Structure formats: structure tokens, C-alpha cells
Amino acid sequence: MHIRQFYLDKVLAYQNTEFIKVLTGIRRSGKSVLMRQYADKLIADGVSENDIYYLNFEDLTYNNLKNSEALFAYFKSNIPADHKVYVMLDEIQMVEDWQLVVNSLRVSFEADVTITGSNAQMLSGELATHLSGRYVEIKVYPLSFKEFLIFQEINPDDNIAVQKAFPTYMQYGGFPSVVLSSDTIKDSVLSGIYDTVLLNDVAYRSAIREPVSLQLLTNFLALNVGQQSNPTKIANTISVGKTKVSAPTITSYLSMLENAYLIFSAKRYDIRGREILRSNAKYYFADLGLRRNAIGGKSAGVGGELENLVYIELIRRGYLVDVGQLDAGEEIDFIARRDGRILYVQVTYEIPENSTRETDNLLKIRDQYDKLLITQRAYEVGELSGIPIINIVDWLLEGEV
């Protein structure tokens, strides 16, 4: 089993504290494995297996514990009152009123509690009410390129092997189960993940009786990664023949897709006025393999793929990311903010010969924050008009994960 040390260290930082550790992220991104790795580390450090309570609510074994009263009764009957225990609850959102149980575990027992969930709504409403200030969210993403190399046992210093591996990562993405599958079944595994997220986590749980319009929406988003859009434009585009969908419905569907961590939205940010603009947004997929699956396994343009990859890597590194708006028609691909600092990023497949087009907009920003141009062409590095240029692979290998 490959240890995802970056995430495990985040969990271990809150071991034996009052904070509930909440592992969130798209299905099959590795949350359950991370939880088991935490359990293995505890056992290696001397914790008895009898003091670790791991329940996976997708397992029918625990089907009778999917309401708060039954689950709490289970713990009250099994957890000793005289020493520390470790409670790990996988896909906890499947338990009715689960927030009450988690809060009771914190209050009634000497328990170190870790939970996972595949829907962002679990962090709103009741959880915020009962556990305000007492939980820490650890966002788990599919494998970064750096992790991908580890899983493939490729030395990051072997430039030839790394450059050869990059197109595979772009094509199939970073879901651990996909990365570890043979090439002959990667697409089938991806298709299974996509269908489960879209049809089960979104359509079924939200009681969408006609998922055709939802599928058309995800197809539209996949084809238009990196393009600004809004619910009205999307509704007008996908409403064809007997399939009619309204802008409010699109707004609702977009929220559902984001809650399932299938897509992320980047809002427009007015650099001059220093404010978020309400109209239009860009949408990016959690994983490039899923994006390709959404359009039938085809490529929809390397520019959008690179933008998608950079966006996910930025949020993986802890940045809050928006799309920069300068004057009319002038855009900065990403404004990434973290720890009081700002990074302005432009992404391009290649830099046109004798052209400063890719840096002109960056140079119009008059503050002193860092600016960066990321390109896929390996030989296009150095700087242009004073703006640092870095190859996408080199930039991906700079990250912690």
C-alpha cells in the first residue's frame, strides 16, 4: 500500500486533540485508504486494535446503524469508559442525524474521532451548529503528478521517464484505483467512478428523476473547461429537442455537482475593484480522467486540459483561486491567494514566436505580488518581459504532493 504521507501528516497533526478530523473529497480519491493508514500508524505506535472502531457505512454489515440513536447505542455498549479509543466513521453522511452522534462521541467518551464524507453539504447546517470550531477539514484529492510518479515507481529525477509519464497522467488522471490498473481497464474503472458520482451521489441522492439534462450539463462543462459561462447560457445551449431545462435548474445542478466534488467553480475577480463579480464563472473537473470520460474518452483541447490541471494543483496546494478580470476582454487565468500573498498565473500550451501576448495582461497588474507563466513546451523556460516562465512538469514537481 502506498502511503500518502502529505495527507497522513495532516491527520497525525490532530491526533489526540479535541478536533474532529473530517476527510472530504470526491468518491474514490483515497479517503478510506487514508483512514486505514491512520489506523495502521496507530497500531504500529502501540495502540491496540481493540481500541480502534472502524465502521464503513457503505458496508451492509452496518446497515442497522444508519440512524443516530442506533449508532450511539452501539458505541455506548462497546466503548469502554476508562481509556482512549479511536473512532473512524467512513461515509458518515449515510447515517441520519450523524452530527448528533459525532458530537456525543466528543462529549461522552475519551475518543479521537475521524470521519469521511463525499458530499460538501456535510460541512454545513447541523455540523457547523454542533461542532463549530471543533473540527478540521482535510481535503483529499486524486493523486498529484508527484504522487502519480511515486505510485508508478518512477524516479522524479529521471527526466525522460517523467516526460513520458506526463501524457498518461493527463489522459487518465490521478484516481489511485485507475493509476494502479492495467491500461486495458483504466477507462472502465474511470467510467465506473464517473457513473457512481453522477448517477448515485448526485442524481439518486437528489431525487433527480430525469438525469439526461444532468448528463448534458456535465458534457457541456467538460467540453468548455476554461471558458466563462453562466446558467442561462448553459440552459439555452443544452435545451434541444424534447430536453428543456431552465436556468434555475442548471444553478441547482451545478451546486449538486460541486457538493459531490465532481466540479469546482472559479469566480471572476475584478482586480481593479478588488471584488468578486457575480456574472459568469469557469468550471473545472476534479480529475482530468473524469473530464475525458464525460465526453466519451475524447480530447477537448490541450489548453483547457492544462488550465484544469493547474487549477486543481493550485487548490491542492491550499490556494483560494479565482479568475482575474482586468479591463473589458482582458483576463488573468488565475489569481491564487494564500497566507496573505497573491500569485497571478497565466497558462498556455506554447508561447507564440516573437509575441508577448501571454505576459501583457500580467504586466498591467501594478502590485508587487508574484506573477508566473506556465507552459507545456519544455524548452520555453526562463522569463519573458520579466515574467518567470516554467514548464508544467517542472512546476508540478515543485509541490509538496
Side-chain angles (χ1 to χ4, degrees), residues 340-397:
R341 301 291 296 176
I342 296 176
L343 174 65
Y344 299 102
V345 181
Q346 288 285 73
V347 183
T348 182
Y349 173 68
E350 63 181 351
I351 302 171
E353 188 176 358
N354 299 321
S355 172
T356 59
R357 184 186 67 191
E358 296 298 337
T359 55
D360 285 346
N361 287 352
L362 288 172
L363 291 171
K364 291 181 180 179
I365 304 171
R366 298 304 181 186
D367 62 40
Q368 299 303 307
Y369 290 119
D370 291 336
K371 302 170 180 66
L372 182 65
L373 177 58
I374 299 175
T375 178
Q376 187 167 340
R377 289 298 183 97
Y379 57 84
E380 292 177 334
V381 296
E383 68 173 42
L384 182 62
S385 303
I387 304 296
I389 305 170
I390 189 169
N391 172 255
I392 180 67
V393 172
D394 294 335
W395 180 74
L396 291 171
L397 293 180

Short mmCIF file of all heavy atoms in Angstrom, two decimals, residues 340-397:
data_model
loop_
_atom_site.label_atom_id
_atom_site.label_comp_id
_atom_site.label_asym_id
_atom_site.label_seq_id
_atom_site.Cartn_x
_atom_site.Cartn_y
_atom_site.Cartn_z
N GLY A 340 -2.14 35.50 2.88
CA GLY A 340 -1.93 36.93 2.68
C GLY A 340 -1.13 37.29 1.45
O GLY A 340 -0.87 38.48 1.21
N ARG A 341 -0.75 36.29 0.67
CA ARG A 341 0.00 36.54 -0.55
C ARG A 341 -0.85 36.22 -1.76
O ARG A 341 -1.82 35.47 -1.69
CB ARG A 341 1.27 35.68 -0.58
CG ARG A 341 2.23 35.91 0.57
CD ARG A 341 2.89 37.27 0.49
NE ARG A 341 3.73 37.40 -0.70
CZ ARG A 341 4.36 38.53 -1.05
NH1 ARG A 341 4.21 39.61 -0.31
NH2 ARG A 341 5.10 38.56 -2.14
N ILE A 342 -0.46 36.78 -2.91
CA ILE A 342 -1.18 36.56 -4.17
C ILE A 342 -0.19 36.07 -5.22
O ILE A 342 0.94 36.57 -5.32
CB ILE A 342 -1.87 37.84 -4.66
CG1 ILE A 342 -2.95 38.29 -3.66
CG2 ILE A 342 -2.51 37.63 -6.04
CD1 ILE A 342 -3.60 39.61 -4.02
N LEU A 343 -0.64 35.11 -6.02
CA LEU A 343 0.13 34.64 -7.18
C LEU A 343 -0.76 34.76 -8.40
O LEU A 343 -1.85 34.20 -8.44
CB LEU A 343 0.56 33.18 -6.98
CG LEU A 343 1.24 32.50 -8.17
CD1 LEU A 343 2.58 33.16 -8.47
CD2 LEU A 343 1.42 31.00 -7.91
N TYR A 344 -0.29 35.50 -9.41
CA TYR A 344 -1.01 35.64 -10.68
C TYR A 344 -0.44 34.64 -11.67
O TYR A 344 0.78 34.58 -11.87
CB TYR A 344 -0.86 37.06 -11.24
CG TYR A 344 -1.42 38.15 -10.34
CD1 TYR A 344 -0.58 38.93 -9.55
CD2 TYR A 344 -2.79 38.38 -10.28
CE1 TYR A 344 -1.08 39.93 -8.73
CE2 TYR A 344 -3.31 39.38 -9.45
CZ TYR A 344 -2.45 40.14 -8.68
OH TYR A 344 -2.95 41.12 -7.87
N VAL A 345 -1.32 33.84 -12.28
CA VAL A 345 -0.86 32.75 -13.14
C VAL A 345 -1.53 32.81 -14.51
O VAL A 345 -2.75 32.93 -14.61
CB VAL A 345 -1.16 31.38 -12.50
CG1 VAL A 345 -0.66 30.24 -13.39
CG2 VAL A 345 -0.54 31.27 -11.11
N GLN A 346 -0.72 32.72 -15.55
CA GLN A 346 -1.21 32.51 -16.90
C GLN A 346 -0.78 31.12 -17.36
O GLN A 346 0.33 30.67 -17.04
CB GLN A 346 -0.64 33.55 -17.87
CG GLN A 346 -1.19 34.97 -17.71
CD GLN A 346 -2.60 35.10 -18.27
OE1 GLN A 346 -3.55 34.60 -17.69
NE2 GLN A 346 -2.73 35.77 -19.40
N VAL A 347 -1.65 30.44 -18.12
CA VAL A 347 -1.37 29.08 -18.58
C VAL A 347 -1.51 29.04 -20.10
O VAL A 347 -2.52 29.51 -20.65
CB VAL A 347 -2.36 28.07 -17.95
CG1 VAL A 347 -2.02 26.64 -18.38
CG2 VAL A 347 -2.36 28.19 -16.43
N THR A 348 -0.52 28.48 -20.78
CA THR A 348 -0.59 28.37 -22.23
C THR A 348 0.17 27.13 -22.68
O THR A 348 1.17 26.74 -22.06
CB THR A 348 0.02 29.62 -22.91
OG1 THR A 348 -0.11 29.51 -24.33
CG2 THR A 348 1.49 29.79 -22.55
N TYR A 349 -0.31 26.51 -23.74
CA TYR A 349 0.39 25.33 -24.26
C TYR A 349 1.76 25.72 -24.80
O TYR A 349 2.76 25.07 -24.54
CB TYR A 349 -0.45 24.66 -25.36
CG TYR A 349 0.28 23.54 -26.05
CD1 TYR A 349 0.57 22.36 -25.37
CD2 TYR A 349 0.70 23.66 -27.38
CE1 TYR A 349 1.27 21.33 -26.00
CE2 TYR A 349 1.38 22.63 -28.01
CZ TYR A 349 1.66 21.47 -27.32
OH TYR A 349 2.35 20.45 -27.93
N GLU A 350 1.80 26.81 -25.55
CA GLU A 350 3.06 27.30 -26.08
C GLU A 350 3.00 28.81 -26.21
O GLU A 350 1.93 29.41 -26.25
CB GLU A 350 3.37 26.67 -27.44
CG GLU A 350 2.36 27.00 -28.52
CD GLU A 350 2.69 26.33 -29.84
OE1 GLU A 350 3.77 25.74 -29.95
OE2 GLU A 350 1.86 26.39 -30.76
N ILE A 351 4.16 29.42 -26.28
CA ILE A 351 4.27 30.87 -26.43
C ILE A 351 4.49 31.19 -27.90
O ILE A 351 5.49 30.74 -28.48
CB ILE A 351 5.43 31.42 -25.58
CG1 ILE A 351 5.22 31.06 -24.11
CG2 ILE A 351 5.54 32.93 -25.75
CD1 ILE A 351 6.41 31.38 -23.24
N PRO A 352 3.58 31.93 -28.52
CA PRO A 352 3.77 32.27 -29.94
C PRO A 352 5.10 32.99 -30.16
O PRO A 352 5.53 33.80 -29.35
CB PRO A 352 2.58 33.19 -30.24
CG PRO A 352 1.56 32.84 -29.21
CD PRO A 352 2.34 32.48 -27.97
N GLU A 353 5.75 32.69 -31.27
CA GLU A 353 7.05 33.27 -31.57
C GLU A 353 6.96 34.79 -31.68
O GLU A 353 6.02 35.34 -32.27
CB GLU A 353 7.60 32.68 -32.88
CG GLU A 353 9.03 33.09 -33.17
CD GLU A 353 9.58 32.41 -34.43
OE1 GLU A 353 8.84 31.58 -35.03
OE2 GLU A 353 10.73 32.69 -34.79
N ASN A 354 7.92 35.47 -31.06
CA ASN A 354 8.02 36.94 -31.08
C ASN A 354 6.73 37.60 -30.57
O ASN A 354 6.31 38.63 -31.07
CB ASN A 354 8.32 37.44 -32.51
CG ASN A 354 9.64 36.91 -33.04
OD1 ASN A 354 10.62 36.81 -32.31
ND2 ASN A 354 9.65 36.53 -34.32
N SER A 355 6.14 36.98 -29.56
CA SER A 355 4.89 37.52 -29.01
C SER A 355 5.01 37.67 -27.50
O SER A 355 5.60 36.84 -26.82
CB SER A 355 3.72 36.58 -29.35
OG SER A 355 2.55 36.99 -28.66
N THR A 356 4.44 38.76 -26.99
CA THR A 356 4.35 38.98 -25.54
C THR A 356 2.89 38.93 -25.08
O THR A 356 2.57 39.38 -24.00
CB THR A 356 4.96 40.34 -25.16
OG1 THR A 356 4.24 41.38 -25.85
CG2 THR A 356 6.44 40.40 -25.50
N ARG A 357 2.04 38.36 -25.92
CA ARG A 357 0.61 38.33 -25.61
C ARG A 357 0.34 37.69 -24.26
O ARG A 357 -0.52 38.15 -23.50
CB ARG A 357 -0.13 37.55 -26.70
CG ARG A 357 -1.65 37.54 -26.54
CD ARG A 357 -2.28 36.63 -27.58
NE ARG A 357 -1.92 35.22 -27.33
CZ ARG A 357 -2.17 34.24 -28.19
NH1 ARG A 357 -2.71 34.49 -29.36
NH2 ARG A 357 -1.82 32.99 -27.89
N GLU A 358 1.07 36.61 -23.95
CA GLU A 358 0.79 35.87 -22.72
C GLU A 358 1.25 36.62 -21.47
O GLU A 358 0.83 36.28 -20.37
CB GLU A 358 1.46 34.49 -22.77
CG GLU A 358 0.91 33.58 -23.87
CD GLU A 358 -0.57 33.26 -23.69
OE1 GLU A 358 -1.06 33.37 -22.56
OE2 GLU A 358 -1.22 32.92 -24.69
N THR A 359 2.12 37.59 -21.61
CA THR A 359 2.58 38.35 -20.44
C THR A 359 2.00 39.75 -20.38
O THR A 359 2.09 40.40 -19.34
CB THR A 359 4.11 38.45 -20.43
OG1 THR A 359 4.55 39.02 -21.68
CG2 THR A 359 4.74 37.08 -20.25
N ASP A 360 1.42 40.24 -21.48
CA ASP A 360 0.94 41.63 -21.50
C ASP A 360 -0.06 41.91 -20.37
O ASP A 360 0.03 42.93 -19.68
CB ASP A 360 0.30 41.95 -22.85
CG ASP A 360 1.34 42.14 -23.95
OD1 ASP A 360 2.54 42.28 -23.61
OD2 ASP A 360 0.97 42.12 -25.14
N ASN A 361 -1.03 41.01 -20.17
CA ASN A 361 -2.02 41.25 -19.13
C ASN A 361 -1.40 41.20 -17.74
O ASN A 361 -1.77 41.97 -16.85
CB ASN A 361 -3.15 40.23 -19.24
CG ASN A 361 -4.07 40.51 -20.41
OD1 ASN A 361 -3.96 41.54 -21.07
ND2 ASN A 361 -4.99 39.60 -20.68
N LEU A 362 -0.46 40.28 -17.54
CA LEU A 362 0.22 40.21 -16.24
C LEU A 362 0.94 41.52 -15.94
O LEU A 362 0.95 42.00 -14.80
CB LEU A 362 1.22 39.05 -16.23
CG LEU A 362 0.64 37.62 -16.17
CD1 LEU A 362 1.75 36.60 -16.37
CD2 LEU A 362 -0.08 37.37 -14.85
N LEU A 363 1.55 42.11 -16.96
CA LEU A 363 2.31 43.35 -16.76
C LEU A 363 1.41 44.54 -16.46
O LEU A 363 1.88 45.57 -15.95
CB LEU A 363 3.17 43.63 -17.99
CG LEU A 363 4.33 42.63 -18.22
CD1 LEU A 363 4.97 42.86 -19.57
CD2 LEU A 363 5.36 42.74 -17.11
N LYS A 364 0.12 44.43 -16.75
CA LYS A 364 -0.81 45.52 -16.44
C LYS A 364 -1.18 45.57 -14.96
O LYS A 364 -1.78 46.53 -14.50
CB LYS A 364 -2.08 45.38 -17.29
CG LYS A 364 -1.84 45.65 -18.77
CD LYS A 364 -3.12 45.52 -19.57
CE LYS A 364 -2.87 45.80 -21.06
NZ LYS A 364 -4.09 45.67 -21.87
N ILE A 365 -0.84 44.51 -14.24
CA ILE A 365 -1.11 44.49 -12.80
C ILE A 365 0.04 45.21 -12.10
O ILE A 365 1.20 44.81 -12.21
CB ILE A 365 -1.22 43.04 -12.28
CG1 ILE A 365 -2.30 42.28 -13.07
CG2 ILE A 365 -1.53 43.02 -10.80
CD1 ILE A 365 -2.33 40.79 -12.77
N ARG A 366 -0.28 46.26 -11.37
CA ARG A 366 0.76 47.15 -10.85
C ARG A 366 1.24 46.80 -9.45
O ARG A 366 2.16 47.45 -8.94
CB ARG A 366 0.24 48.60 -10.85
CG ARG A 366 -0.11 49.12 -12.25
CD ARG A 366 1.08 49.01 -13.18
NE ARG A 366 0.78 49.54 -14.52
CZ ARG A 366 1.61 49.46 -15.54
NH1 ARG A 366 2.79 48.87 -15.39
NH2 ARG A 366 1.27 49.95 -16.72
N ASP A 367 0.64 45.81 -8.79
CA ASP A 367 1.14 45.48 -7.46
C ASP A 367 2.43 44.65 -7.55
O ASP A 367 2.87 44.30 -8.64
CB ASP A 367 0.07 44.77 -6.62
CG ASP A 367 -0.37 43.44 -7.21
OD1 ASP A 367 0.48 42.70 -7.72
OD2 ASP A 367 -1.59 43.13 -7.16
N GLN A 368 2.98 44.31 -6.41
CA GLN A 368 4.29 43.65 -6.37
C GLN A 368 4.21 42.15 -6.10
O GLN A 368 5.21 41.51 -5.80
CB GLN A 368 5.17 44.31 -5.29
CG GLN A 368 5.43 45.78 -5.53
CD GLN A 368 6.07 46.03 -6.89
OE1 GLN A 368 7.09 45.42 -7.22
NE2 GLN A 368 5.47 46.92 -7.67
N TYR A 369 3.01 41.59 -6.22
CA TYR A 369 2.88 40.16 -5.97
C TYR A 369 3.46 39.36 -7.14
O TYR A 369 3.62 39.84 -8.25
CB TYR A 369 1.41 39.79 -5.74
CG TYR A 369 0.86 40.32 -4.43
CD1 TYR A 369 -0.21 41.21 -4.41
CD2 TYR A 369 1.43 39.92 -3.22
CE1 TYR A 369 -0.71 41.69 -3.21
CE2 TYR A 369 0.93 40.40 -2.02
CZ TYR A 369 -0.13 41.29 -2.02
OH TYR A 369 -0.61 41.77 -0.83
N ASP A 370 3.75 38.08 -6.86
CA ASP A 370 4.41 37.22 -7.84
C ASP A 370 3.52 36.94 -9.04
O ASP A 370 2.30 36.81 -8.92
CB ASP A 370 4.81 35.89 -7.19
CG ASP A 370 5.92 36.06 -6.17
OD1 ASP A 370 6.68 37.05 -6.27
OD2 ASP A 370 6.03 35.20 -5.27
N LYS A 371 4.17 36.84 -10.18
CA LYS A 371 3.49 36.51 -11.44
C LYS A 371 4.22 35.35 -12.10
O LYS A 371 5.44 35.23 -11.98
CB LYS A 371 3.46 37.73 -12.36
CG LYS A 371 2.77 38.95 -11.73
CD LYS A 371 2.96 40.20 -12.57
CE LYS A 371 2.27 41.40 -11.92
NZ LYS A 371 2.89 41.78 -10.63
N LEU A 372 3.45 34.49 -12.80
CA LEU A 372 4.04 33.27 -13.34
C LEU A 372 3.34 32.88 -14.64
O LEU A 372 2.11 32.98 -14.74
CB LEU A 372 3.90 32.13 -12.32
CG LEU A 372 4.51 30.78 -12.68
CD1 LEU A 372 6.03 30.88 -12.79
CD2 LEU A 372 4.13 29.74 -11.63
N LEU A 373 4.13 32.41 -15.60
CA LEU A 373 3.60 31.88 -16.86
C LEU A 373 3.98 30.41 -16.94
O LEU A 373 5.16 30.05 -16.89
CB LEU A 373 4.18 32.66 -18.05
CG LEU A 373 3.80 32.18 -19.46
CD1 LEU A 373 2.28 32.20 -19.65
CD2 LEU A 373 4.47 33.05 -20.52
N ILE A 374 2.96 29.53 -17.05
CA ILE A 374 3.18 28.09 -17.12
C ILE A 374 2.89 27.61 -18.53
O ILE A 374 1.84 27.92 -19.10
CB ILE A 374 2.27 27.36 -16.12
CG1 ILE A 374 2.57 27.81 -14.69
CG2 ILE A 374 2.45 25.84 -16.23
CD1 ILE A 374 1.63 27.23 -13.64
N THR A 375 3.82 26.84 -19.11
CA THR A 375 3.67 26.35 -20.48
C THR A 375 4.02 24.86 -20.54
O THR A 375 4.75 24.35 -19.67
CB THR A 375 4.57 27.14 -21.45
OG1 THR A 375 4.44 26.61 -22.77
CG2 THR A 375 6.02 27.07 -21.02
N GLN A 376 3.52 24.18 -21.55
CA GLN A 376 3.85 22.76 -21.68
C GLN A 376 5.11 22.52 -22.50
O GLN A 376 5.74 21.48 -22.39
CB GLN A 376 2.68 21.99 -22.32
CG GLN A 376 2.91 20.47 -22.31
CD GLN A 376 1.67 19.67 -22.64
OE1 GLN A 376 0.56 20.15 -22.52
NE2 GLN A 376 1.86 18.44 -23.08
N ARG A 377 5.49 23.48 -23.32
CA ARG A 377 6.69 23.30 -24.14
C ARG A 377 7.92 23.34 -23.24
O ARG A 377 8.21 24.36 -22.62
CB ARG A 377 6.77 24.39 -25.21
CG ARG A 377 5.74 24.23 -26.32
CD ARG A 377 5.94 22.91 -27.08
NE ARG A 377 5.01 22.78 -28.17
CZ ARG A 377 5.30 23.07 -29.43
NH1 ARG A 377 6.49 23.55 -29.74
NH2 ARG A 377 4.40 22.90 -30.39
N ALA A 378 8.65 22.22 -23.20
CA ALA A 378 9.76 22.08 -22.26
C ALA A 378 10.86 23.13 -22.47
O ALA A 378 11.54 23.53 -21.53
CB ALA A 378 10.34 20.68 -22.34
N TYR A 379 11.06 23.56 -23.71
CA TYR A 379 12.16 24.48 -23.98
C TYR A 379 11.78 25.93 -23.72
O TYR A 379 12.63 26.82 -23.76
CB TYR A 379 12.62 24.33 -25.44
CG TYR A 379 11.54 24.54 -26.48
CD1 TYR A 379 11.21 25.83 -26.91
CD2 TYR A 379 10.86 23.46 -27.03
CE1 TYR A 379 10.23 26.03 -27.85
CE2 TYR A 379 9.88 23.66 -27.98
CZ TYR A 379 9.56 24.94 -28.38
OH TYR A 379 8.57 25.13 -29.32
N GLU A 380 10.54 26.21 -23.46
CA GLU A 380 10.09 27.59 -23.24
C GLU A 380 10.16 27.91 -21.75
O GLU A 380 9.16 27.96 -21.05
CB GLU A 380 8.68 27.78 -23.78
CG GLU A 380 8.61 27.68 -25.30
CD GLU A 380 7.18 27.79 -25.83
OE1 GLU A 380 6.25 27.45 -25.09
OE2 GLU A 380 7.02 28.19 -27.00
N VAL A 381 11.36 28.10 -21.25
CA VAL A 381 11.56 28.43 -19.84
C VAL A 381 12.49 29.62 -19.75
O VAL A 381 13.15 30.00 -20.71
CB VAL A 381 12.14 27.23 -19.07
CG1 VAL A 381 11.17 26.06 -19.05
CG2 VAL A 381 13.48 26.79 -19.68
N GLY A 382 12.53 30.20 -18.57
CA GLY A 382 13.34 31.39 -18.37
C GLY A 382 12.46 32.54 -17.94
O GLY A 382 11.85 32.50 -16.88
N GLU A 383 12.39 33.58 -18.80
CA GLU A 383 11.48 34.68 -18.50
C GLU A 383 11.14 35.42 -19.78
O GLU A 383 11.86 35.35 -20.78
CB GLU A 383 12.08 35.63 -17.46
CG GLU A 383 13.28 36.43 -17.92
CD GLU A 383 13.69 37.48 -16.90
OE1 GLU A 383 13.69 37.17 -15.69
OE2 GLU A 383 14.01 38.61 -17.32
N LEU A 384 10.02 36.13 -19.73
CA LEU A 384 9.56 36.93 -20.86
C LEU A 384 9.03 38.24 -20.30
O LEU A 384 8.12 38.24 -19.46
CB LEU A 384 8.45 36.20 -21.63
CG LEU A 384 7.89 36.90 -22.87
CD1 LEU A 384 8.99 37.08 -23.93
CD2 LEU A 384 6.73 36.10 -23.45
N SER A 385 9.62 39.34 -20.73
CA SER A 385 9.25 40.66 -20.22
C SER A 385 9.31 40.71 -18.69
O SER A 385 8.51 41.37 -18.03
CB SER A 385 7.83 41.04 -20.68
OG SER A 385 7.73 41.02 -22.09
N GLY A 386 10.28 39.97 -18.12
CA GLY A 386 10.46 39.97 -16.68
C GLY A 386 9.57 38.99 -15.93
O GLY A 386 9.68 38.85 -14.71
N ILE A 387 8.67 38.29 -16.66
CA ILE A 387 7.78 37.31 -16.03
C ILE A 387 8.43 35.93 -16.09
O ILE A 387 8.80 35.46 -17.17
CB ILE A 387 6.42 37.26 -16.75
CG1 ILE A 387 5.78 38.64 -16.80
CG2 ILE A 387 5.50 36.24 -16.09
CD1 ILE A 387 5.43 39.22 -15.46
N PRO A 388 8.59 35.23 -14.94
CA PRO A 388 9.17 33.88 -14.97
C PRO A 388 8.31 32.92 -15.78
O PRO A 388 7.08 32.96 -15.70
CB PRO A 388 9.19 33.48 -13.49
CG PRO A 388 9.12 34.76 -12.73
CD PRO A 388 8.29 35.69 -13.58
N ILE A 389 8.96 32.05 -16.56
CA ILE A 389 8.27 31.03 -17.34
C ILE A 389 8.75 29.67 -16.85
O ILE A 389 9.95 29.45 -16.69
CB ILE A 389 8.59 31.14 -18.85
CG1 ILE A 389 8.25 32.55 -19.35
CG2 ILE A 389 7.82 30.10 -19.64
CD1 ILE A 389 8.76 32.80 -20.77
N ILE A 390 7.80 28.77 -16.59
CA ILE A 390 8.16 27.45 -16.10
C ILE A 390 7.38 26.39 -16.86
O ILE A 390 6.22 26.60 -17.22
CB ILE A 390 7.92 27.33 -14.57
CG1 ILE A 390 8.49 26.02 -14.03
CG2 ILE A 390 6.44 27.45 -14.25
CD1 ILE A 390 8.53 25.96 -12.50
N ASN A 391 8.02 25.28 -17.11
CA ASN A 391 7.36 24.15 -17.76
C ASN A 391 6.38 23.50 -16.78
O ASN A 391 6.66 23.40 -15.59
CB ASN A 391 8.41 23.14 -18.22
CG ASN A 391 7.80 21.85 -18.73
OD1 ASN A 391 7.84 20.84 -18.04
ND2 ASN A 391 7.23 21.88 -19.91
N ILE A 392 5.25 23.04 -17.28
CA ILE A 392 4.19 22.49 -16.44
C ILE A 392 4.70 21.33 -15.58
O ILE A 392 4.38 21.22 -14.39
CB ILE A 392 2.98 22.05 -17.29
CG1 ILE A 392 1.87 21.46 -16.42
CG2 ILE A 392 3.39 21.08 -18.38
CD1 ILE A 392 1.19 22.42 -15.51
N VAL A 393 5.52 20.44 -16.16
CA VAL A 393 6.02 19.29 -15.40
C VAL A 393 6.92 19.75 -14.26
O VAL A 393 6.80 19.28 -13.12
CB VAL A 393 6.76 18.30 -16.33
CG1 VAL A 393 7.45 17.21 -15.51
CG2 VAL A 393 5.78 17.69 -17.32
N ASP A 394 7.82 20.69 -14.55
CA ASP A 394 8.70 21.21 -13.50
C ASP A 394 7.90 21.86 -12.40
O ASP A 394 8.21 21.71 -11.20
CB ASP A 394 9.69 22.22 -14.09
CG ASP A 394 10.67 21.57 -15.06
OD1 ASP A 394 10.91 20.36 -14.93
OD2 ASP A 394 11.17 22.29 -15.95
N TRP A 395 6.85 22.59 -12.77
CA TRP A 395 6.02 23.27 -11.76
C TRP A 395 5.29 22.26 -10.89
O TRP A 395 5.21 22.39 -9.67
CB TRP A 395 5.03 24.20 -12.45
CG TRP A 395 4.15 24.94 -11.49
CD1 TRP A 395 4.50 25.98 -10.68
CD2 TRP A 395 2.76 24.68 -11.25
NE1 TRP A 395 3.41 26.39 -9.93
CE2 TRP A 395 2.33 25.61 -10.28
CE3 TRP A 395 1.85 23.79 -11.77
CZ2 TRP A 395 1.02 25.66 -9.81
CZ3 TRP A 395 0.54 23.82 -11.31
CH2 TRP A 395 0.13 24.74 -10.34
N LEU A 396 4.76 21.20 -11.52
CA LEU A 396 4.05 20.17 -10.76
C LEU A 396 4.98 19.47 -9.76
O LEU A 396 4.54 19.08 -8.68
CB LEU A 396 3.44 19.14 -11.71
CG LEU A 396 2.27 19.62 -12.58
CD1 LEU A 396 1.93 18.58 -13.62
CD2 LEU A 396 1.05 19.95 -11.72
N LEU A 397 6.24 19.31 -10.13
CA LEU A 397 7.18 18.63 -9.24
C LEU A 397 7.68 19.52 -8.11
O LEU A 397 8.32 19.03 -7.18
CB LEU A 397 8.37 18.10 -10.05
CG LEU A 397 8.05 17.00 -11.05
CD1 LEU A 397 9.30 16.56 -11.79
CD2 LEU A 397 7.40 15.80 -10.35
#
